[in-house]
Amino acid sequence: MESVSVVPAGMTKYRQNLYPLLPFTKEEMAAVIRQIQNWQEKFLKRFGIRFVHASDEWFLGAELPIPKADYYEGYQQIENGVGMVRSLMDEVEEALDEISGDYRKMELSVATGTLAAPVIKKLAEKIQEKFPKITVHVYAVINHFFGETITVAGLITGTDLMAQLKGKPLGDYLILPSVMIRPQEQDFLDGFTVNDVQTTLQTKIRIVQSDGASFVRAVIGE
């Protein structure tokens, strides 16, 4: 075994007749991180690696700083959401370092889950520092379909997008992360298609891969 990730279980509102579980509080999430870091110190001394890693949800939920890249030891668990935020933040910085800003004028919007929304907002603001005439609306979509305890972008449905974004300023197009879309069917988990959402919201949708360079290009209209 090369590494282990610790990820909080997602609890939907469909839990009738199941064992009663409660979501972690902010303080409990911080306690979990401390517990994991205690084990990481032991593994570092014995094996030279941290071995066990906390997923990004713990840091975001506890409102603690996201660790630097070397903390994640090559991002072995990035598929489980371990280091995904740090990777995205660094990739946006790198992409912005490689381009020159200008005064192109645009308005657009980004929709994501409530967990990642504060991070996406900060990244959008960083892009706007180089492109001050670009207006970006970042919308945190509450998951009413599966339950408000589900906060990740990948489980946002077309139903919630259409209900919560209709009538909001969306600009020239709406950016959605690719994790929201089932690739073969090109639809959301509730069966609504990208075209259904475009028609209802009366705006174009751009599906963007979950890397920093793709996000920057989408925001600046390239």
Side-chain angles (χ1 to χ4, degrees), residues 15-33:
R15 291 193 51 79
Q16 292 83 358
N17 303 317
L18 296 177
Y19 187 86
L21 296 176
L22 294 173
F24 287 89
T25 65
K26 175 183 172 182
E27 293 73 23
E28 288 169 341
M29 286 189 161
V32 168
I33 291 173

PDB file of all heavy atoms in Angstrom, residues 15-33:
ATOM      1  N   ARG A  15     -31.908   9.214   3.732  1.00  0.00           N
ATOM      2  CA  ARG A  15     -31.317   8.331   4.732  1.00  0.00           C
ATOM      3  C   ARG A  15     -32.368   7.713   5.653  1.00  0.00           C
ATOM      4  O   ARG A  15     -32.104   7.423   6.813  1.00  0.00           O
ATOM      5  CB  ARG A  15     -30.283   9.102   5.571  1.00  0.00           C
ATOM      6  CG  ARG A  15     -29.029   9.494   4.791  1.00  0.00           C
ATOM      7  CD  ARG A  15     -27.927   9.965   5.729  1.00  0.00           C
ATOM      8  NE  ARG A  15     -27.700   9.012   6.813  1.00  0.00           N
ATOM      9  CZ  ARG A  15     -27.003   7.888   6.705  1.00  0.00           C
ATOM     10  NH1 ARG A  15     -26.453   7.567   5.544  1.00  0.00           N
ATOM     11  NH2 ARG A  15     -26.851   7.085   7.735  1.00  0.00           N
ATOM     12  N   GLN A  16     -33.570   7.527   5.140  1.00  0.00           N
ATOM     13  CA  GLN A  16     -34.618   6.925   5.960  1.00  0.00           C
ATOM     14  C   GLN A  16     -34.221   5.498   6.354  1.00  0.00           C
ATOM     15  O   GLN A  16     -33.723   4.723   5.542  1.00  0.00           O
ATOM     16  CB  GLN A  16     -35.955   6.903   5.196  1.00  0.00           C
ATOM     17  CG  GLN A  16     -36.555   8.270   4.966  1.00  0.00           C
ATOM     18  CD  GLN A  16     -35.969   8.963   3.747  1.00  0.00           C
ATOM     19  OE1 GLN A  16     -35.090   8.439   3.104  1.00  0.00           O
ATOM     20  NE2 GLN A  16     -36.469  10.156   3.453  1.00  0.00           N
ATOM     21  N   ASN A  17     -34.451   5.169   7.625  1.00  0.00           N
ATOM     22  CA  ASN A  17     -34.203   3.828   8.168  1.00  0.00           C
ATOM     23  C   ASN A  17     -32.738   3.401   8.113  1.00  0.00           C
ATOM     24  O   ASN A  17     -32.432   2.203   8.144  1.00  0.00           O
ATOM     25  CB  ASN A  17     -35.068   2.778   7.435  1.00  0.00           C
ATOM     26  CG  ASN A  17     -36.551   3.101   7.524  1.00  0.00           C
ATOM     27  OD1 ASN A  17     -37.033   3.489   8.588  1.00  0.00           O
ATOM     28  ND2 ASN A  17     -37.254   2.969   6.421  1.00  0.00           N
ATOM     29  N   LEU A  18     -31.827   4.365   8.016  1.00  0.00           N
ATOM     30  CA  LEU A  18     -30.399   4.065   8.051  1.00  0.00           C
ATOM     31  C   LEU A  18     -29.823   4.506   9.394  1.00  0.00           C
ATOM     32  O   LEU A  18     -30.429   5.290  10.120  1.00  0.00           O
ATOM     33  CB  LEU A  18     -29.665   4.773   6.908  1.00  0.00           C
ATOM     34  CG  LEU A  18     -30.051   4.339   5.492  1.00  0.00           C
ATOM     35  CD1 LEU A  18     -29.302   5.174   4.461  1.00  0.00           C
ATOM     36  CD2 LEU A  18     -29.754   2.861   5.270  1.00  0.00           C
ATOM     37  N   TYR A  19     -28.631   4.017   9.684  1.00  0.00           N
ATOM     38  CA  TYR A  19     -27.993   4.390  10.943  1.00  0.00           C
ATOM     39  C   TYR A  19     -27.840   5.906  11.003  1.00  0.00           C
ATOM     40  O   TYR A  19     -27.394   6.519  10.028  1.00  0.00           O
ATOM     41  CB  TYR A  19     -26.626   3.717  11.058  1.00  0.00           C
ATOM     42  CG  TYR A  19     -25.973   3.930  12.402  1.00  0.00           C
ATOM     43  CD1 TYR A  19     -26.253   3.095  13.473  1.00  0.00           C
ATOM     44  CD2 TYR A  19     -25.103   4.997  12.599  1.00  0.00           C
ATOM     45  CE1 TYR A  19     -25.676   3.306  14.713  1.00  0.00           C
ATOM     46  CE2 TYR A  19     -24.512   5.218  13.833  1.00  0.00           C
ATOM     47  CZ  TYR A  19     -24.806   4.367  14.890  1.00  0.00           C
ATOM     48  OH  TYR A  19     -24.242   4.584  16.109  1.00  0.00           O
ATOM     49  N   PRO A  20     -28.220   6.538  12.120  1.00  0.00           N
ATOM     50  CA  PRO A  20     -28.148   8.001  12.199  1.00  0.00           C
ATOM     51  C   PRO A  20     -26.700   8.502  12.192  1.00  0.00           C
ATOM     52  O   PRO A  20     -25.895   8.112  13.043  1.00  0.00           O
ATOM     53  CB  PRO A  20     -28.839   8.327  13.541  1.00  0.00           C
ATOM     54  CG  PRO A  20     -28.730   7.075  14.342  1.00  0.00           C
ATOM     55  CD  PRO A  20     -28.769   5.949  13.360  1.00  0.00           C
ATOM     56  N   LEU A  21     -26.377   9.335  11.230  1.00  0.00           N
ATOM     57  CA  LEU A  21     -25.053   9.943  11.134  1.00  0.00           C
ATOM     58  C   LEU A  21     -25.198  11.458  11.139  1.00  0.00           C
ATOM     59  O   LEU A  21     -26.177  12.000  10.617  1.00  0.00           O
ATOM     60  CB  LEU A  21     -24.347   9.510   9.841  1.00  0.00           C
ATOM     61  CG  LEU A  21     -24.016   8.032   9.691  1.00  0.00           C
ATOM     62  CD1 LEU A  21     -23.424   7.778   8.311  1.00  0.00           C
ATOM     63  CD2 LEU A  21     -23.043   7.583  10.772  1.00  0.00           C
ATOM     64  N   LEU A  22     -24.222  12.141  11.691  1.00  0.00           N
ATOM     65  CA  LEU A  22     -24.228  13.596  11.727  1.00  0.00           C
ATOM     66  C   LEU A  22     -23.029  14.122  10.941  1.00  0.00           C
ATOM     67  O   LEU A  22     -21.938  13.537  11.001  1.00  0.00           O
ATOM     68  CB  LEU A  22     -24.159  14.105  13.175  1.00  0.00           C
ATOM     69  CG  LEU A  22     -25.368  13.805  14.062  1.00  0.00           C
ATOM     70  CD1 LEU A  22     -25.068  14.234  15.500  1.00  0.00           C
ATOM     71  CD2 LEU A  22     -26.605  14.517  13.540  1.00  0.00           C
ATOM     72  N   PRO A  23     -23.194  15.223  10.201  1.00  0.00           N
ATOM     73  CA  PRO A  23     -22.037  15.816   9.511  1.00  0.00           C
ATOM     74  C   PRO A  23     -21.047  16.402  10.518  1.00  0.00           C
ATOM     75  O   PRO A  23     -21.419  16.760  11.641  1.00  0.00           O
ATOM     76  CB  PRO A  23     -22.670  16.914   8.649  1.00  0.00           C
ATOM     77  CG  PRO A  23     -23.950  17.248   9.333  1.00  0.00           C
ATOM     78  CD  PRO A  23     -24.440  15.982   9.965  1.00  0.00           C
ATOM     79  N   PHE A  24     -19.792  16.472  10.134  1.00  0.00           N
ATOM     80  CA  PHE A  24     -18.763  17.041  10.999  1.00  0.00           C
ATOM     81  C   PHE A  24     -18.960  18.546  11.147  1.00  0.00           C
ATOM     82  O   PHE A  24     -19.302  19.240  10.190  1.00  0.00           O
ATOM     83  CB  PHE A  24     -17.373  16.785  10.406  1.00  0.00           C
ATOM     84  CG  PHE A  24     -16.913  15.366  10.512  1.00  0.00           C
ATOM     85  CD1 PHE A  24     -17.216  14.455   9.515  1.00  0.00           C
ATOM     86  CD2 PHE A  24     -16.175  14.933  11.601  1.00  0.00           C
ATOM     87  CE1 PHE A  24     -16.788  13.137   9.593  1.00  0.00           C
ATOM     88  CE2 PHE A  24     -15.742  13.625  11.700  1.00  0.00           C
ATOM     89  CZ  PHE A  24     -16.050  12.723  10.694  1.00  0.00           C
ATOM     90  N   THR A  25     -18.727  19.049  12.334  1.00  0.00           N
ATOM     91  CA  THR A  25     -18.704  20.496  12.554  1.00  0.00           C
ATOM     92  C   THR A  25     -17.330  21.038  12.146  1.00  0.00           C
ATOM     93  O   THR A  25     -16.381  20.270  11.919  1.00  0.00           O
ATOM     94  CB  THR A  25     -18.948  20.845  14.030  1.00  0.00           C
ATOM     95  OG1 THR A  25     -17.849  20.327  14.807  1.00  0.00           O
ATOM     96  CG2 THR A  25     -20.250  20.237  14.533  1.00  0.00           C
ATOM     97  N   LYS A  26     -17.227  22.353  12.073  1.00  0.00           N
ATOM     98  CA  LYS A  26     -15.948  22.998  11.754  1.00  0.00           C
ATOM     99  C   LYS A  26     -14.861  22.578  12.740  1.00  0.00           C
ATOM    100  O   LYS A  26     -13.732  22.244  12.349  1.00  0.00           O
ATOM    101  CB  LYS A  26     -16.132  24.519  11.773  1.00  0.00           C
ATOM    102  CG  LYS A  26     -14.865  25.322  11.578  1.00  0.00           C
ATOM    103  CD  LYS A  26     -15.154  26.809  11.681  1.00  0.00           C
ATOM    104  CE  LYS A  26     -13.886  27.630  11.690  1.00  0.00           C
ATOM    105  NZ  LYS A  26     -14.149  29.079  11.827  1.00  0.00           N
ATOM    106  N   GLU A  27     -15.203  22.552  14.031  1.00  0.00           N
ATOM    107  CA  GLU A  27     -14.234  22.192  15.062  1.00  0.00           C
ATOM    108  C   GLU A  27     -13.827  20.720  14.954  1.00  0.00           C
ATOM    109  O   GLU A  27     -12.657  20.372  15.157  1.00  0.00           O
ATOM    110  CB  GLU A  27     -14.821  22.474  16.452  1.00  0.00           C
ATOM    111  CG  GLU A  27     -15.034  23.951  16.761  1.00  0.00           C
ATOM    112  CD  GLU A  27     -16.211  24.567  16.009  1.00  0.00           C
ATOM    113  OE1 GLU A  27     -17.120  23.799  15.601  1.00  0.00           O
ATOM    114  OE2 GLU A  27     -16.206  25.814  15.830  1.00  0.00           O
ATOM    115  N   GLU A  28     -14.792  19.860  14.639  1.00  0.00           N
ATOM    116  CA  GLU A  28     -14.482  18.434  14.493  1.00  0.00           C
ATOM    117  C   GLU A  28     -13.586  18.188  13.282  1.00  0.00           C
ATOM    118  O   GLU A  28     -12.718  17.310  13.318  1.00  0.00           O
ATOM    119  CB  GLU A  28     -15.778  17.638  14.379  1.00  0.00           C
ATOM    120  CG  GLU A  28     -16.556  17.553  15.695  1.00  0.00           C
ATOM    121  CD  GLU A  28     -17.956  17.001  15.527  1.00  0.00           C
ATOM    122  OE1 GLU A  28     -18.485  17.013  14.383  1.00  0.00           O
ATOM    123  OE2 GLU A  28     -18.544  16.571  16.541  1.00  0.00           O
ATOM    124  N   MET A  29     -13.806  18.951  12.215  1.00  0.00           N
ATOM    125  CA  MET A  29     -12.945  18.810  11.035  1.00  0.00           C
ATOM    126  C   MET A  29     -11.505  19.193  11.375  1.00  0.00           C
ATOM    127  O   MET A  29     -10.561  18.527  10.931  1.00  0.00           O
ATOM    128  CB  MET A  29     -13.479  19.661   9.889  1.00  0.00           C
ATOM    129  CG  MET A  29     -14.734  19.091   9.240  1.00  0.00           C
ATOM    130  SD  MET A  29     -15.179  19.973   7.732  1.00  0.00           S
ATOM    131  CE  MET A  29     -16.257  18.767   6.950  1.00  0.00           C
ATOM    132  N   ALA A  30     -11.334  20.253  12.141  1.00  0.00           N
ATOM    133  CA  ALA A  30      -9.986  20.651  12.565  1.00  0.00           C
ATOM    134  C   ALA A  30      -9.347  19.566  13.422  1.00  0.00           C
ATOM    135  O   ALA A  30      -8.139  19.291  13.310  1.00  0.00           O
ATOM    136  CB  ALA A  30     -10.057  21.970  13.323  1.00  0.00           C
ATOM    137  N   ALA A  31     -10.147  18.928  14.264  1.00  0.00           N
ATOM    138  CA  ALA A  31      -9.640  17.846  15.111  1.00  0.00           C
ATOM    139  C   ALA A  31      -9.201  16.644  14.278  1.00  0.00           C
ATOM    140  O   ALA A  31      -8.181  16.001  14.580  1.00  0.00           O
ATOM    141  CB  ALA A  31     -10.706  17.432  16.123  1.00  0.00           C
ATOM    142  N   VAL A  32      -9.941  16.334  13.227  1.00  0.00           N
ATOM    143  CA  VAL A  32      -9.569  15.227  12.334  1.00  0.00           C
ATOM    144  C   VAL A  32      -8.231  15.526  11.665  1.00  0.00           C
ATOM    145  O   VAL A  32      -7.358  14.653  11.558  1.00  0.00           O
ATOM    146  CB  VAL A  32     -10.673  14.985  11.281  1.00  0.00           C
ATOM    147  CG1 VAL A  32     -10.168  14.041  10.188  1.00  0.00           C
ATOM    148  CG2 VAL A  32     -11.913  14.400  11.938  1.00  0.00           C
ATOM    149  N   ILE A  33      -8.047  16.764  11.213  1.00  0.00           N
ATOM    150  CA  ILE A  33      -6.784  17.139  10.579  1.00  0.00           C
ATOM    151  C   ILE A  33      -5.623  16.977  11.559  1.00  0.00           C
ATOM    152  O   ILE A  33      -4.558  16.445  11.205  1.00  0.00           O
ATOM    153  CB  ILE A  33      -6.854  18.587  10.054  1.00  0.00           C
ATOM    154  CG1 ILE A  33      -7.817  18.660   8.868  1.00  0.00           C
ATOM    155  CG2 ILE A  33      -5.465  19.085   9.635  1.00  0.00           C
ATOM    156  CD1 ILE A  33      -8.095  20.066   8.379  1.00  0.00           C
TER     157      ILE A  33
END
